[in-house]
Amino acid sequence: MAMMPEQRRSSTPQIRIALDAMGGDNGPSVVLAGAARVAAKRPDVTFLLFGDSALVEPLLRSHAALAKVATVHHSDVAIKMDDKPSQALRTGRRVSSMWMAVEAVKRGDADVAVSAGNTGALMAMSKVCLRTMPQIDRPAIAALWPTLRGRSIVLDVGATIGADAQHLVDMAIMGAAMASIVLGVPTPSLGLLNVGIEEIKGLEEVKAAGRLLRDAALPHLDYRGFVEGDDLGRGTVDVVVTEGFTGNIALKTAEGTAKQIAQYLRDAMGASLLSKLGYVLARKAFDAMREKMDPRRVNGGVFLGLDGLVIKSHGGTDGLGFAGAIEMGYEMAHHDLLSKIRESLTLAQEIRTPGVSPAAESS
Amino acid sequence: MAMMPEQRRSSTPQIRIALDAMGGDNGPSVVLAGAARVAAKRPDVTFLLFGDSALVEPLLRSHAALAKVATVHHSDVAIKMDDKPSQALRTGRRVSSMWMAVEAVKRGDADVAVSAGNTGALMAMSKVCLRTMPQIDRPAIAALWPTLRGRSIVLDVGATIGADAQHLVDMAIMGAAMASIVLGVPTPSLGLLNVGIEEIKGLEEVKAAGRLLRDAALPHLDYRGFVEGDDLGRGTVDVVVTEGFTGNIALKTAEGTAKQIAQYLRDAMGASLLSKLGYVLARKAFDAMREKMDPRRVNGGVFLGLDGLVIKSHGGTDGLGFAGAIEMGYEMAHHDLLSKIRESLTLAQEIRTPGVSPAAESS
């Protein structure tokens, strides 16, 4: 059933991207629209599409350029957006489009898997199929956060609840590795999310992680201390680390606030003839601003700590947004995020073993 | 030294408000400007001003209407914005303007105390001086949250870190009592802040609190289940309950996001001649929107669970903002928040004692 790509451009190394074509609120139509956008832009990408071939193949025929670089791999089972992770594993292990996309990474057939399916199921399958890296106990989800300075990386936005000091330090190392790729800075600045109220001064775990990071003085990470909730939008640091409950609530609170203000703005601009005229005149400025606030520009949660690359797209996104999640996967694979993380973890290990530092060894 | 009010209007019951005149980034000038605004509007308010009389009295002379309803009570010590709570208690107990304002409530000389001083010190002094209500282990700070539906109440925004199920239920009861006053609804809707990700489904404490609230079916509280971060701006429920670490980060994240978007908007409107012209035409609409987003409109964190009313104003606010915090204190005192909370707590106690329900008793 698989349609083979008609040609491959062998001049540059190919990035092979596995897509869960059935994931998300809108399924294959959005997934293929997103893939078509990326295919049109990037000659070094091939796609493996996992899903119901009776749905995927007809759609693929309307994306001629994508069809040339994509193979379809039939799957009978689609994980539902409200399936519980345990349920998803029971019904979808080995046979669902989600599992098969992740398994393509495990087998080495793909460099990264992207799914807009439900987060819990995708994380559960990724953990079972790919396993965590040997040094990592619990994976995390890292999100891009638009800021006044540009973009930051925030993790964990909801993989697990609670984190001890070691877990926070692991996240710092992984988040900094990701930031060095996404933001193109060799030594990203990093803060631990905390509360600024003197009396309580934050969780013990956060304080302990702060001490560890300060003492370790890791080479690829510029630890700047605690940051507060309002530092997120300000872009005070390149990477903000927190445990998954708080991170998820912070992310959704920011999304909710942005929507709320956008609604205020719409109401205000429609309030009178003068304001409507003003809106028409300032249209280009509004469009530029809307683009800055567009959540599709920062779509794509990166699963960190697994022995393989998996990207989670927003479930309700459109083709443009899904293309953003694919682009994130492309970037992570192209710059070999996994090797960068492994390197940083090893380096951190050596630094934290008393008496043995890389400096001492190399001198 | 105290200047006695020249006249009291005895037709309505007076609300006596104790102000820490030295609190906040700008001290007496902002505190007195705020009090003057309230005095001009409310004939049923008198003020007790605690602070350095050498600073307060000259300022008071420039607020003639306020001077008529205010007494000045000298204090030598002002708590600094960066004093640690323990330090503040050591140096400021009994003698600081902050302590004296809270103590005025304890003594029954004032109905409520308002301070823009540092949160940790104010909470520590309030706990030591006023004590918690007998049923309450840990106090909470409740904030007003502007939403698309109007306003909600969110607690705890930073009094304590972590909360067990009982503490969350206590906060629900206190928050609902406050909402019935502020929002004027007899049975406020209420949600517990949680993460929506299926795999993890939130903290055990939050789930346990949800079960308690559902089973109790309290008469003055409409429990609606879990809400997520984006429900805050949406105004899905009247009251949102969470522990102080997450609540503080959610609040500051929302404030940061609002500032970020306001900056985007300023940049966009200044980007071209056309957009500048558009801005001028839509000026009134922008002003209306700015007012909606104005943090001064929702200034005033209410300390809940103490045997006395204390309001915390933002430290960096101006006279208009401080007036908002005083108004919050006025409203809470005028509608006797403390009695409402005590009533609700007693009612909840009875309902939770098996076999004894108010319905059974009254029938």
Side-chain angles (χ1 to χ4, degrees), chain B residues 233-269:
Chain B
R234 206 176 277 143
T236 308
V237 287
D238 296 323
V239 184
V240 176
V241 172
T242 187
E243 59 80 34
F245 188 84
T246 307
N248 183 269
I249 282 168
L251 180 68
K252 291 202 170 153
T253 299
E255 286 173 352
T257 305
K259 275 187 204 161
Q260 178 185 3
I261 297 174
Q263 184 62 48
Y264 287 166
L265 193 57
R266 272 193 298 276
D267 293 349
M269 291 302 106

Side-chain angles (χ1 to χ4, degrees), chain A residues 82-85 119-120 123-124 127 145-148 157-161 193-203 206 228-230 232-234 242 244-246 248-250 252-254 256-261 263-265 267-269 274-275 277-279 281-282 285-286 289 292-293, chain B residues 82-85 119-120 123-124 127 145-148 157-161 193-203 206 228-230 232-234 242 244-246 248-250 252-254 256-261 263-265 267-269 274-275 277-279 281-282 285-286 289 292-293:
Chain A
D82 56 355
D83 277 352
K84 291 187 181 164
T119 309
M123 181 51 91
K127 276 199 284 195
W145 195 291
T147 75
L148 283 175
V157 295
T160 56
I161 282 183
L193 194 60
N194 203 344
V195 294
I197 293 157
E198 269 303 326
E199 186 196 16
I200 45 181
K201 273 185 308 191
L203 297 163
V206 178
E228 297 191 52
D230 48 350
L232 288 163
R234 207 177 277 143
T242 186
F245 188 84
T246 308
N248 182 268
I249 281 167
K252 292 203 170 151
T253 299
T257 305
K259 274 188 205 159
Q260 178 186 2
I261 297 175
Q263 183 63 48
Y264 286 165
L265 193 57
D267 293 350
M269 291 302 105
L274 263 186
S275 61
L277 181 58
Y279 175 76
L281 290 179
F286 279 115
M289 186 185 138
K292 265 194 182 169
M293 290 172 57
Chain B
D82 56 356
D83 277 352
K84 290 188 181 162
T119 310
M123 180 53 91
K127 276 199 286 197
W145 195 289
T147 75
L148 284 174
V157 295
T160 56
I161 282 183
L193 194 59
N194 203 345
V195 294
I197 293 158
E198 270 302 326
E199 185 196 17
I200 44 182
K201 273 184 307 187
L203 296 163
V206 178
E228 296 191 52
D230 48 349
L232 288 163
R234 206 176 277 143
T242 187
F245 188 84
T246 307
N248 183 269
I249 282 168
K252 291 202 170 153
T253 299
T257 305
K259 275 187 204 161
Q260 178 185 3
I261 297 174
Q263 184 62 48
Y264 287 166
L265 193 57
D267 293 349
M269 291 302 106
L274 263 185
S275 62
L277 181 58
Y279 175 75
L281 290 179
F286 279 114
M289 188 185 137
K292 265 193 181 170
M293 288 171 58

Side-chain angles (χ1 to χ4, degrees), chain B residues 118-136:
Chain B
N118 98 55
T119 310
L122 184 60
M123 180 53 91
M125 288 189 172
S126 300
K127 276 199 286 197
V128 169
C129 183
L130 297 171
R131 310 263 161 202
T132 55
M133 291 178 170
Q135 306 93 328
I136 298 294

